[in-house]
């Protein structure tokens, strides 16, 4: 059974995300390693997620993982951020031909039971906030006259990048807001137009 986690989980890469998705019922953001340094859209989502739901950072137990953790601190001010640390175990992931530079396992190589134990204290009944394209269409944020302007206003009010595509917006909404807050902001936009 997957552990329900209300905070947003941040990991380094897609293989870490795949491993965590098998264990957690959570919104998970993969940073693409050092790609986070240039991805302003992800930075904005992480900043808002830390403020509104909290984020759990789980990176590899190596120097690169620490650099990424420190960058997350600079993005969020370390407010609403929880750091989990995997044990430093020598070895290599089965999909790799060579061990990492420091010769330690990354998140994807850590035993599933060990990862589950790390997250147990965060397990909760996670509220579901699923946003769909149909919802955006019904609310006039997609496919209609003025929908792009309304989407831009919504993003501005929620602290998200204004030029997000619909797919990225759907993911960001489920991370940074509830349906109630979304409806409240949408009402403000509609009253102001």
């Amino acid at each position: 059974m997957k552990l329900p986690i209300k905070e947003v989980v941040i990991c380094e890469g897609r293989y870490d995300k795949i491993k965590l998705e098998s264990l957690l019922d959570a919104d998970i953001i993969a940073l693409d390693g050092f790609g986070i340094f240039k991805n302003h859209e992800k930075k904005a989502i992480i900043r808002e997620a830390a403020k509104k739901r909290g984020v759990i950072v789980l990176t590899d137990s190596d120097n690169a993982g620490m650099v990424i953790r420190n960058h997350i601190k600079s993005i969020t001010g370390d407010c609403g951020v929880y750091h989990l640390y995997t044990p430093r175990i020598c070895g290599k992931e089965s999909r790799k031909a060579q061990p990492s530079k420091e010769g330690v396992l990354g998140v994807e190589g850590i035993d599933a039971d060990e990862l589950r134990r790390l997250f147990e204290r965060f397990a909760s009944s996670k509220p579901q906030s699923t946003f769909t394209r149909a919802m955006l269409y019904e609310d006039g944020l997609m496919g209609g006259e003025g929908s792009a302007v309304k989407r831009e206003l919504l993003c501005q009010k929620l602290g998200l990048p204004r030029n997000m595509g619909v797919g990225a917006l759907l993911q960001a909404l489920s991370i940074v807001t509830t349906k109630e807050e979304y409806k409240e902001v949408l009402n403000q936009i509609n009253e102001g137009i």
Side-chain angles (χ1 to χ4, degrees):
M1 181 173 168
K2 293 183 180 185
L3 290 175
I5 306 292
K6 73 174 180 65
E7 292 85 1
V8 176
V9 177
I10 297 174
C11 62
E12 284 185 53
R14 70 177 176 196
Y15 292 104
D16 297 341
K17 182 177 180 181
I18 290 167
K19 176 84 172 238
L20 293 172
E21 284 174 336
S22 72
L23 304 171
L24 308 174
D25 177 16
D27 292 311
I28 302 171
I29 297 174
L31 300 178
D32 303 321
F34 290 135
I36 188 60
F37 288 93
K38 294 181 181 177
N39 191 326
H40 301 294
E41 193 172 276
K42 273 189 187 172
K43 287 181 191 183
I45 291 169
I46 290 167
R47 188 177 302 111
E48 289 303 309
K51 281 188 227 174
K52 301 204 173 156
R53 285 177 49 193
V55 296
I56 300 171
V57 180
L58 181 67
T59 62
D60 296 349
S61 293
D62 57 11
N63 288 332
M66 289 308 294
V67 169
I68 291 169
R69 282 179 191 278
N70 288 330
H71 189 64
I72 297 298
K73 283 182 190 179
S74 74
I75 294 168
T76 63
D78 216 21
C79 180
V81 179
Y82 306 95
H83 294 276
L84 294 182
Y85 297 90
T86 59
R88 195 169 166 91
I89 301 171
C90 292
K92 75 169 190 66
E93 283 78 15
S94 58
R95 71 175 178 85
K96 294 182 179 177
Q98 302 283 341
S100 69
K101 184 177 177 182
E102 294 180 38
V104 296
L105 291 176
V107 170
E108 70 175 280
I110 299 296
D111 178 68
D113 289 334
E114 179 66 30
L115 289 173
R116 200 173 278 108
R117 276 191 292 280
L118 289 171
F119 282 96
E120 278 178 348
R121 71 183 176 114
F122 292 97
S124 66
S125 55
K126 180 185 165 216
Q128 294 295 326
S129 287
T130 304
F131 292 87
T132 64
R133 288 178 182 269
M135 179 187 289
L136 295 184
Y137 181 79
E138 289 170 16
D139 292 336
L141 294 165
M142 180 181 146
E145 187 176 325
S147 60
V149 172
K150 285 177 80 173
R151 261 195 329 272
E152 187 174 315
L153 290 170
L154 177 73
C155 288
Q156 181 181 1
K157 288 185 176 288
L158 293 174
L160 297 170
R162 293 184 197 167
N163 57 350
M164 294 181 84
V166 171
L169 177 60
L170 287 171
Q171 180 185 22
L173 288 173
S174 70
I175 291 172
V176 303
T177 192
T178 63
K179 285 189 177 175
E180 293 77 23
E181 183 183 11
Y182 162 82
K183 289 291 187 184
E184 185 179 311
V185 169
L186 192 59
N187 287 337
Q188 292 171 5
I189 291 168
N190 288 333
E191 289 171 6
I193 292 180

